[in-house]
Amino acid sequence: MGWEDELFALFDDLEDQASALYAAERDLEVADRSRAEYRQVTLSSRLMASVGDEVTLGILGVGSVTGTVERVAADWLLVSAGDHAGHHDWVVDRTAVVTVEGASDRAVPEVAWSPLTRLGLGSALRRIADAGEPCLLHLRDGSRHDGVLGRVGADFCELVEGERRRTVLIAFSAFAAARSGAR
């Protein structure tokens, strides 16, 4: 092998090393950008991508609920669940959700959500109240209240309990979830 061949082999080797260093540096930059972008992903956006999927939620004051995600809003979600006690819909305060199993790997950014997703927890509870059906309210401390939702205020709801028709005011800050079909 002549000196020219050795020189070209050296240049090829240096070029290969430079390409490998560039690729490694680019991979690190892409990984860093991916991490930086993922910081923008919210739990609600992962749940939005899971609409129609079965998930298991760990909910403060309730425990585990397994069901199909039907609707997601910025601060609440609707889950349809069936068990030995029958079919129930759950309106869940998003901030009471502590774990999610079975969620989609994808996320739907909030800019892509329908304007209806901006409706707050009060709107979801007003629909339950309008239906006039019994429900079971679960609070974050683990207590439960069985009755019929009455009026819904800005940051609380009224629940009419029992035969004596006792009205209990429940602050949204204590609310974890409402299950349809109580009693």
Side-chain angles (χ1 to χ4, degrees):
M1 178 185 284
W3 68 270
E4 290 177 340
D5 291 336
E6 288 181 22
L7 185 61
F8 285 127
L10 176 65
F11 286 148
D12 286 342
D13 185 47
L14 290 173
E15 192 172 300
D16 289 344
Q17 288 180 28
S19 292
L21 286 172
Y22 174 76
E25 191 174 303
R26 188 189 68 221
D27 290 346
L28 288 173
E29 183 178 342
V30 167
D32 190 46
R33 283 187 183 180
S34 294
R35 281 191 296 276
E37 286 299 316
Y38 198 72
R39 284 189 291 226
Q40 306 299 319
V41 175
T42 64
L43 180 58
S44 293
S45 65
R46 288 286 300 271
L47 289 166
M48 181 62 81
S50 301
V51 169
D53 295 342
E54 184 173 280
V55 299
T56 299
L57 303 174
I59 305 169
L60 286 174
V62 177
S64 292
V65 171
T66 299
T68 303
V69 178
E70 299 291 337
R71 178 171 288 174
V72 176
D75 62 351
W76 61 275
L77 60 145
L78 176 66
V79 175
S80 178
D83 59 18
H84 63 280
H87 175 82
H88 303 287
D89 286 331
W90 288 83
V91 173
V92 181
D93 183 323
R94 215 288 303 138
T95 62
V97 174
V98 292
T99 60
V100 179
E101 295 175 42
S104 172
D105 290 336
R106 297 180 27 246
V108 176
E110 291 183 26
V111 296
W113 294 8
S114 158
L116 294 177
T117 61
R118 290 176 183 74
L119 296 174
L121 178 61
S123 294
L125 294 177
R126 282 183 196 92
R127 289 197 57 144
I128 295 172
D130 290 346
E133 296 178 6
C135 66
L136 181 60
L137 295 187
H138 293 261
L139 304 188
R140 292 172 189 253
D141 67 2
S143 63
R144 300 169 6 163
H145 294 271
D146 190 359
V148 176
L149 276 175
R151 297 178 295 181
V152 178
D155 61 353
F156 75 99
C157 60
E158 296 178 354
L159 185 74
V160 180
E161 290 185 315
E163 307 220 353
R164 295 180 56 208
R165 303 202 40 85
R166 178 178 77 124
T167 299
V168 178
L169 303 181
I170 299 173
F172 287 173
S173 61
F175 176 84
R179 189 188 82 189
S180 67
R183 292 195 179 151

